[in-house]
Amino acid sequence: MYENIENISLEDAFQILLQQTQPLDSELISPLQATGRILAADIIAPHDLPSYRQAAMDGFALAETTGDRFIIKKHLEAGEVPSFTLKEGEAAGVVTGGHIPQGTAVVVRDEDVWVEDGYLSIKRINPQVNNIREQGEDFLAGTVIARRGTKITPGLIAVLTAYGFQEISAVRVPRVAIMSLGKEVIPFNQGIKPGQVRDSNGPLLASLVITHGGYPIAVTAPGDSVVKELDAHLKKADLVITIGGTAAGSNDQAKNLLEEIGAQPLFLGYQVKPGSHSCAGIRDGKLVVMLSGNPVACFVGYHLLVYPVLRALQGLKPELLRIPAVATSGFPKKGGPRRFLLGYSLYGPEGWRVAVLPGQKSSMRRSLADCNCLIDLAAGHPPVKTGEQVFIIPIQNII
């Protein structure tokens, strides 16, 4: 499928994965289940909102304010539609959000009038405020309320339900299966025996998948049933992530596993540290992304390889944001392939600043909890010094 698939660049791996990824189909969902989902189609305002002129507060509707006394023609109740037109010298009691009579020029607040024997007198009035919600001031009929690819927020749901939308067309949630390949790995909630390791990478990836709009249909550590389990996952999932077994050791099986399940290898290794042995394949249009079993490498590989695919499956732009920041702490190592460090970034008056978190070994978990960005160091980089400019990729709140 591709001529050179071994030890390729991150950019090539990125492009290969995206070339094999198509947005998922859509489904109709209730607004009550729509928060965080992605719109599959533009939404057009079917009519003006508000659909009629409304009082912005409780008070009295007037046709004009030049008179001294106004006869109160009627007190309108909530939901009542007036059948009359206001004339000079007349007033009508109105409620917040309620209809106002034709001919209304202003609504005067209750506290700004005197009422006696069916007549109204104005105490004070602000001539710059009419206290009226005009028809269509929120949205005019035919206006685009939201575009395809928009993340549905609670505020957008408020707009759509104000229109009476009972169903929303949303991109289907990507189904993701996660599987650890190591025979020594057991589910995190099982008792552990000598020689075994609890699966923490699976729950890590499942949490990230949920954060980025996917649904983990399985988080497994099948032991000796890897081929059977992976085959089953590919029949149900839109994307499969495997963990571990990507290096060239005697216990590593990821690359051979692609052949055993009849998958086409897309790339075998990429020029990134940590996790350079990560690889990917495809079968029946379903991607299998194979990440390192070291926690930090697994975490980094997810953000560089899986996260863009998840976005593309949802019809979103898959680019990773890369922005300059000033390092507030250093990193002593230099050289080697392109390297990604775990960082903690903040934005202040002087721009972005980032601290290199402690514990940068690929096997360590201590900095995962605080990490909110990846620090991108070019191949052959010098040591990072405090005060130098680096580039970061934010990894929180990035949808």
Side-chain angles (χ1 to χ4, degrees):
M1 183 176 292
Y2 298 99
E3 292 184 5
N4 177 29
I5 64 172
E6 294 190 8
N7 195 31
I8 65 175
S9 68
L10 171 59
E11 288 77 13
D12 285 345
F14 185 92
Q15 291 302 320
I16 287 171
L17 291 173
L18 295 183
Q19 287 169 5
Q20 301 299 326
T21 305
Q22 298 296 324
L24 297 174
D25 52 1
S26 63
E27 60 183 353
L28 294 176
I29 59 174
S30 163
L32 299 181
Q33 282 77 51
T35 302
R37 298 287 295 274
I38 306 300
L39 284 179
D42 294 350
I43 296 182
I44 310 299
H47 56 74
D48 293 343
L49 187 70
S51 58
Y52 54 89
R53 298 180 82 213
Q54 301 176 354
M57 56 186 61
D58 294 352
F60 289 87
L62 305 175
E64 42 81 30
T65 58
T66 57
D68 295 326
R69 280 164 55 87
F70 302 82
I71 187 170
I72 300 173
K73 189 167 185 179
K74 184 177 179 59
H75 286 275
L76 296 171
E77 303 291 337
E80 184 177 357
V81 179
S83 58
F84 58 90
T85 299
L86 278 181
K87 300 176 182 178
E88 289 187 15
E90 295 180 339
V94 293
V95 296
T96 303
H99 284 264
I100 57 177
Q102 290 188 24
T104 298
V106 64
V107 173
V108 183
R109 301 183 304 172
D110 280 333
E111 56 265 41
D112 291 338
V113 300
W114 287 293
V115 176
E116 185 177 7
D117 297 331
Y119 284 85
L120 173 151
S121 299
I122 299 174
K123 290 192 290 186
R124 56 185 172 270
I125 190 168
N126 183 349
Q128 296 180 340
V129 179
N130 67 5
N131 297 320
I132 294 173
R133 300 172 183 169
E134 297 293 347
Q135 179 175 336
E137 71 175 17
D138 223 347
F139 291 96
L140 292 171
T143 301
V144 177
I145 297 174
R147 294 288 186 187
R148 177 174 60 91
T150 299
K151 186 176 182 179
I152 301 171
T153 63
L156 179 56
I157 289 172
V159 173
L160 299 182
T161 51
Y163 273 109
F165 283 92
Q166 299 180 39
E167 293 181 319
I168 301 172
S169 179
V171 178
R172 183 168 58 77
V173 174
R175 298 185 295 259
V176 183
I178 301 164
M179 186 175 73
S180 292
L181 301 184
K183 294 181 179 180
E184 76 283 8
V185 179
I186 63 170
F188 73 95
N189 56 356
Q190 290 187 8
I192 195 166
K193 298 177 182 179
Q196 293 181 328
V197 178
R198 288 194 180 94
D199 179 19
S200 62
N201 286 329
L204 166 69
L205 295 180
S207 300
L208 289 169
V209 165
I210 293 171
T211 299
H212 297 137
Y215 176 68
I217 63 170
V219 181
T220 62
D224 293 326
S225 304
V226 168
V227 175
K228 181 179 179 181
E229 187 100 355
L230 180 54
D231 182 73
H233 288 333
L234 279 167
K235 293 176 181 177
K236 298 178 180 179
D238 302 302
L239 170 66
V240 177
I241 310 170
T242 69
I243 307 164
T246 57
S250 59
N251 293 322
D252 300 319
Q253 54 184 314
K255 298 171 186 177
N256 293 334
L257 188 56
L258 290 174
E259 182 178 344
E260 289 187 58
I261 63 170
Q264 174 69 46
L266 296 176
F267 65 87
L268 303 175
Y270 70 147
Q271 298 164 20
V272 163
K273 191 172 182 177
S276 62
H277 296 289
S278 299
C279 49
I282 190 168
R283 191 188 81 175
D284 299 329
K286 307 282 188 70
L287 284 173
V288 181
V289 181
M290 312 182 103
L291 303 178
S292 168
N294 283 318
V296 172
C298 181
F299 182 79
V300 170
Y302 169 87
H303 286 97
L304 298 181
L305 301 175
V306 177
Y307 166 71
V309 170
L310 270 179
R311 285 185 63 86
L313 286 171
Q314 296 172 83
L316 299 171
K317 292 182 179 180
E319 289 84 356
L320 293 169
L321 180 65
R322 191 170 178 268
I323 56 179
V326 174
T328 60
S329 57
F331 182 71
K333 294 184 179 181
K334 64 179 180 178
R338 187 174 181 179
R339 184 192 298 265
F340 289 87
L341 305 178
L342 305 187
Y344 182 79
S345 60
L346 288 173
Y347 186 81
E350 299 178 355
W352 284 99
R353 300 174 71 83
V354 61
V356 179
L357 291 171
Q360 293 289 337
K361 287 184 178 180
S362 183
S363 59
M364 299 178 71
R365 297 175 178 85
R366 62 180 296 180
S367 291
L368 294 178
D370 296 324
C371 179
N372 69 359
C373 70
L374 301 179
I375 302 171
D376 184 0
L377 303 181
H381 62 86
V384 176
K385 296 180 180 179
T386 300
E388 289 185 341
Q389 178 178 285
V390 294
F391 285 91
I392 63 172
I393 298 174
I395 59 173
Q396 289 187 8
N397 301 319
I398 51 179
I399 284 191

